[in-house]
């Protein structure tokens, strides 16, 4: 993986997560997309997902009005970075995301170890081998290998608006 451009010395994963809620047209997001050699069309009516398998990450953009009101994203309706996916080696054809993962996690962490680090999940998956934690301004979801011995995917995103 190439090194992401960091101006504040933060770990790359923290830099990515700091961009959550930032409009797709903002200089920091445009710079990230250019570094990842991605050029998504963010003007369409739907959310946009882009993959950077050589870097071990995917990004999802959503319209700001589709996200929880508590985020105070402003009145403008625009696509914002809403979710970052960090992949383990080979997961969905990706290279492993090499820098440190957020929340002190490691791909080698078992489901039990992740729960030791993060506490009991808000939602423990039973149909899929995954757990979810909700925080005031974002959520974290971990997908595990079938034997629960390692993390395959770390997803961090902004909460969606609940639909009536």
């Amino acid at each position: 993986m190439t090194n992401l451009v960091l101006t504040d010395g933060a770990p790359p994963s923290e830099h990515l997560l700091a961009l959550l809620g930032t409009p797709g047209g903002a200089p920091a997001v445009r710079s990230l997309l250019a570094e990842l050699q991605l050029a998504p069309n963010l003007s369409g009516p739907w959310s946009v997902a882009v993959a950077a398998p050589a870097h071990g990450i995917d990004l999802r953009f959503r319209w700001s009005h589709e996200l929880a009101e508590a985020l105070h994203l402003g009145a403008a309706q625009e696509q914002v970075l809403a979710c970052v996916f960090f992949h383990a080696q080979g997961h969905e054809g990706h290279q492993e995301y090499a820098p440190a993962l957020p929340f002190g996690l490691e791909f080698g962490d078992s489901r039990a170890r992740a729960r030791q680090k993060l506490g009991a999940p808000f939602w423990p998956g039973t149909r899929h081998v995954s757990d979810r934690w909700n925080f005031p301004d974002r959520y974290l979801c971990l997908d595990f290998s079938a034997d629960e011995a390692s993390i395959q995917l770390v997803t961090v995103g902004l909460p969606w608006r609940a639909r009536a």
Side-chain angles (χ1 to χ4, degrees):
M1 171 177 172
T2 61
N3 292 324
L4 297 173
V5 176
L6 302 175
T7 58
D8 58 3
S13 63
E14 296 305 319
H15 176 72
L16 288 166
L17 298 184
L19 292 175
L20 287 172
T22 304
V29 174
R30 286 196 325 255
S31 175
L32 171 64
L33 291 170
E35 185 169 349
L36 297 173
Q37 299 179 334
L38 300 171
N41 177 0
L42 300 178
S43 64
W46 312 108
S47 65
V48 175
V50 292
H55 301 276
I57 61 172
D58 295 341
L59 307 172
R60 176 172 294 281
F61 294 86
R62 295 195 63 85
W63 287 98
S64 57
H65 68 275
E66 296 177 330
L67 300 167
E69 294 88 348
L71 298 175
H72 306 293
L73 293 176
Q77 291 190 17
E78 56 194 342
Q79 293 265 17
V80 299
L81 181 59
C83 193
V84 179
F85 303 86
F86 303 93
H87 293 266
Q89 179 64 39
H91 184 260
E92 296 181 351
H94 284 65
Q95 296 294 315
E96 184 166 301
Y97 178 77
L101 292 170
F103 301 98
L105 296 167
E106 298 176 11
F107 286 117
D109 288 341
S110 67
R111 192 176 202 178
R113 180 71 178 132
R115 287 177 175 184
Q116 285 178 339
K117 289 181 176 183
L118 300 167
F122 167 78
W123 177 82
T126 54
R127 183 173 177 209
H128 301 284
V129 186
S130 62
D131 288 337
R132 179 181 169 128
W133 290 262
N134 289 339
F135 303 107
D137 63 345
R138 62 186 58 173
Y139 68 88
L140 165 68
C141 185
L142 302 179
D143 292 359
F144 299 92
S145 59
D147 63 2
E148 300 184 6
S150 62
I151 297 171
Q152 296 298 297
L153 180 67
V154 176
T155 305
V156 183
L158 301 176
W160 294 16
R161 174 183 296 184
R163 298 189 191 257

